[in-house]
């Protein structure tokens, strides 16, 4: 059992470092998210891990704990109608309006990569005249990014949302898992980015996907990230949020049921 | 109510599949082999067939070919459901006319996802 003061400490750490809303009362959730990190780092229990965090300043360990506390569920073509709309309408339109200049796409909080790879698979099917495409995937978690970059998924993961036709077209069996083709993997660049940081150095994007990230943030962090996202959108750009995420008034809803927005 | 025919020689798999499909609102029929499956299809084509590959006598590919060749046989969406996990085998099933492919072991979320992508299930808000 992690004691209440330690849970409060952990919640404060997650809030300060990543803007994460962690309920210190949810001891079971906290234990189960920290248990794998504790094991990996050689602690006998999650309690031991939090104790060590409080006892010494170990930046790497603190980040490992924070990253583990973020929700990380994802799947290929999550909320399929969103991708249908992107592929039939949004992406071709963006390509047209850019007139041959690169269309810049950013998956913010990309998790283990399924979201941005789903886009890459769609783009591989668009006529070569559309594009070029510049895809960036970023996440807080180094572990998520490593997995994303490797493009290696379990049998379970490739059955969540990924059509069998896309599996046979873009993957190869590798051991027990499935490896995404180099062609698709090469379409994406990766970067560790904390959404609380200043994002202006990344420039502006024609399409930003920030799905199922906002709903995990505390109010002040939410406000801050919303402003950053607004500034990251190029004129005429589009923002997609998750179906459970909410967004304030500074954006114009294009298809709220799909989480699709434009800068107002 | 949409109908699904589960074709598998394993009673355990049939039972698990039935439970998943009924929870998703399907009316379920079972067949333990290809002959029984064809009898069902001749009587009434289902909307979906969940089809095992390796079965004694008539294998899944053969069942698929016969279904597709029979009257009304282009109607059902066929989801192969097999322990075969080689890409080449999956491609073979798709080329033979399967609409989707599930690798065993599977769970309710995988079945629901596949049915959704075939337009047989309403997409629930995540
Ligand atoms: C639930 S996953 C969503 C993945 C994918 N976008 C999707 O919708 O399927 C949320 C991701 O957001 C990341 N995340 C949470 N807080 C973050 C922050 N402050 N900066 C960057 N990424 C963050 C987590 O590491 C996690 O991978």
């Amino acid at each position: 059992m992690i004691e209440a003061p330690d849970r409060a400490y952990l919640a404060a750490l997650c809030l300060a470092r990543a803007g994460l809303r962690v309920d210190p009362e949810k001891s079971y959730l906290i234990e189960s998210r920290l248990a794998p990190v504790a094991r990996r780092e050689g602690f006998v229990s999650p309690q031991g891990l939090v104790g060590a965090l409080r006892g010494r300043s170990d930046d790497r360990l603190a980040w490992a704990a924070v990253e583990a506390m973020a929700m990380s569920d994802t799947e290929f073509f999550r909320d399929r109608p969103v991708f249908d709309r992107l592929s039939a309408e949004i992406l071709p339109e963006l390509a047209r309006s850019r007139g041959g200049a690169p269309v810049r796409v950013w998956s913010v909080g990309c998790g283990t990569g399924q979201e941005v790879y789903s886009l890459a698979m769609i783009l591989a099917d668009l006529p070569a005249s559309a594009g070029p495409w510049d895809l960036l995937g970023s996440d807080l978690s180094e572990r998520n990014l490593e997995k994303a970059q490797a493009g290696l998924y379990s049998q379970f993961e490739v059955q969540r949302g990924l059509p069998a036709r896309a599996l046979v077209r873009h993957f190869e069996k590798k051991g027990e898992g499935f490896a995404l083709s180099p062609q698709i993997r090469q379409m994406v660049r990766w970067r560790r980015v904390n959404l609380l940081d200043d994002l202006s150095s990344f420039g502006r994007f024609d399409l930003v996907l920030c799905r199922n990230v906002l709903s995990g943030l505390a109010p002040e962090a939410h406000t801050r990230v919303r402003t950053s996202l607004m500034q990251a959108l190029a004129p005429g750009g589009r923002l997609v949020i998750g179906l459970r995420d909410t967004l304030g008034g500074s954006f114009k809803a294009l298809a709220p049921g799909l989480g699709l927005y434009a800068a107002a | 109510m949409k109908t699904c025919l589960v074709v598998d020689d394993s009673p355990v798999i049939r039972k698990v599949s039935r439970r998943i499909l009924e929870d998703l609102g399907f009316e379920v029929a079972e067949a333990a082999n290809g002959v029984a499956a064809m009898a069902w299809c001749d009587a009434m084509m289902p909307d979906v067939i969940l089809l095992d590959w390796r079965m004694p006598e008539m294998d899944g590919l053969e069942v698929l070919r016969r279904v597709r060749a029979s009257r009304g046989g282009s109607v059902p969406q066929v989801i192969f459901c097999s322990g075969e996990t080689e890409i080449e085998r999956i491609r073979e099933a798709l080329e033979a006319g399967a609409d989707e492919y599930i690798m065993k072991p599977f769970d309710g979320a995988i079945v629901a996802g596949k049915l959704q992508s075939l337009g047989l299930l309403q997409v629930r808000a995540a």
Side-chain angles (χ1 to χ4, degrees), chain A residues 69-233:
Chain A
M69 288 308 299
M71 293 180 298
S72 64
D73 54 302
T74 188
E75 58 183 76
F76 288 103
F77 296 96
R78 182 177 195 169
D79 304 316
R80 184 61 182 270
V82 178
F83 286 91
D84 291 344
R85 179 73 164 261
L86 287 170
S87 118
E89 199 178 291
I90 311 286
L91 291 164
E93 266 174 26
L94 288 173
R96 251 194 314 279
S97 75
R98 299 294 288 151
V103 182
R104 302 192 71 211
V105 180
W106 191 7
S107 166
V108 195
C110 65
T112 41
Q114 284 91 328
E115 177 175 277
V116 61
Y117 281 143
S118 300
L119 280 181
M121 288 186 262
I122 287 175
L123 296 177
D125 281 336
L126 291 183
S129 57
W133 306 93
D134 178 10
L135 303 184
L136 175 64
S138 74
D139 201 272
L140 180 69
S141 157
E142 204 72 69
R143 284 175 67 81
N144 282 351
L145 287 173
E146 272 167 26
K147 170 156 178 157
Q149 197 149 16
L152 189 60
Y153 296 97
S154 72
Q155 180 171 315
F156 186 74
E157 287 165 329
V158 296
Q159 302 214 78
R160 299 297 303 276
L162 186 73
R165 283 200 165 68
L167 176 70
V168 300
R169 167 130 184 244
H170 297 295
F171 288 79
E172 277 192 1
K173 191 91 186 277
K174 191 166 178 193
E176 292 292 290
F178 294 82
L180 188 56
S181 73
Q183 291 90 305
I184 297 293
R185 278 196 290 131
Q186 279 159 13
M187 293 174 70
V188 186
R189 292 180 298 125
W190 307 97
R191 236 351 233 291
R192 181 183 183 276
V193 176
N194 183 350
L195 274 169
L196 293 192
D197 292 345
D198 176 13
L199 306 183
S200 59
S201 63
F202 294 98
R204 292 177 170 238
F205 293 82
D206 302 293
L207 177 64
V208 174
L209 284 85
C210 183
R211 303 165 72 221
N212 306 298
V213 181
L214 291 168
S215 56
L217 299 182
E220 312 87 90
H222 190 283
T223 307
R224 183 184 169 88
V225 170
R226 208 166 57 212
T227 308
S228 300
L229 292 176
M230 178 65 98
Q231 286 160 356
L233 275 190

Side-chain angles (χ1 to χ4, degrees), chain B:
Chain B
M1 203 185 244
K2 297 227 186 282
T3 53
C4 180
L5 176 64
V6 177
V7 188
D8 203 304
D9 56 337
S10 151
V12 177
I13 299 279
R14 291 203 305 275
K15 193 170 158 197
V16 170
S17 306
R18 168 186 285 277
R19 188 164 330 125
I20 291 172
L21 288 157
E22 285 181 347
D23 283 348
L24 294 170
F26 283 78
E27 193 174 320
V28 178
E30 295 177 27
N33 56 54
V35 177
M38 289 315 299
W40 269 107
C41 291
D42 287 339
M44 194 198 70
M45 275 297 170
D47 297 302
V48 200
I49 304 177
L50 204 60
L51 183 58
D52 184 20
W53 192 321
R54 304 280 163 229
M55 292 182 289
E57 281 138 58
M58 202 190 296
D59 75 3
L61 275 185
E62 183 59 26
V63 175
L64 175 59
R65 286 197 192 97
R66 290 197 193 187
V67 168
R68 291 296 189 221
S70 59
R71 198 151 53 85
S74 60
V75 172
Q77 308 243 35
V78 176
I79 305 178
F80 252 77
C81 186
S82 161
E84 292 281 356
T85 60
E86 296 303 322
I87 293 286
E88 266 323 302
R89 296 279 76 70
I90 300 173
R91 186 174 287 129
E92 185 181 357
L94 294 172
E95 279 170 2
D99 297 284
E100 256 299 346
Y101 195 102
I102 292 174
M103 294 175 265
K104 291 175 183 169
F106 58 94
D107 64 7
I110 289 174
V111 175
K114 296 289 180 187
L115 289 167
Q116 239 169 50
S117 70
L118 294 176
L120 291 158
L121 253 194
Q122 209 60 22
V123 179
R124 47 172 172 106

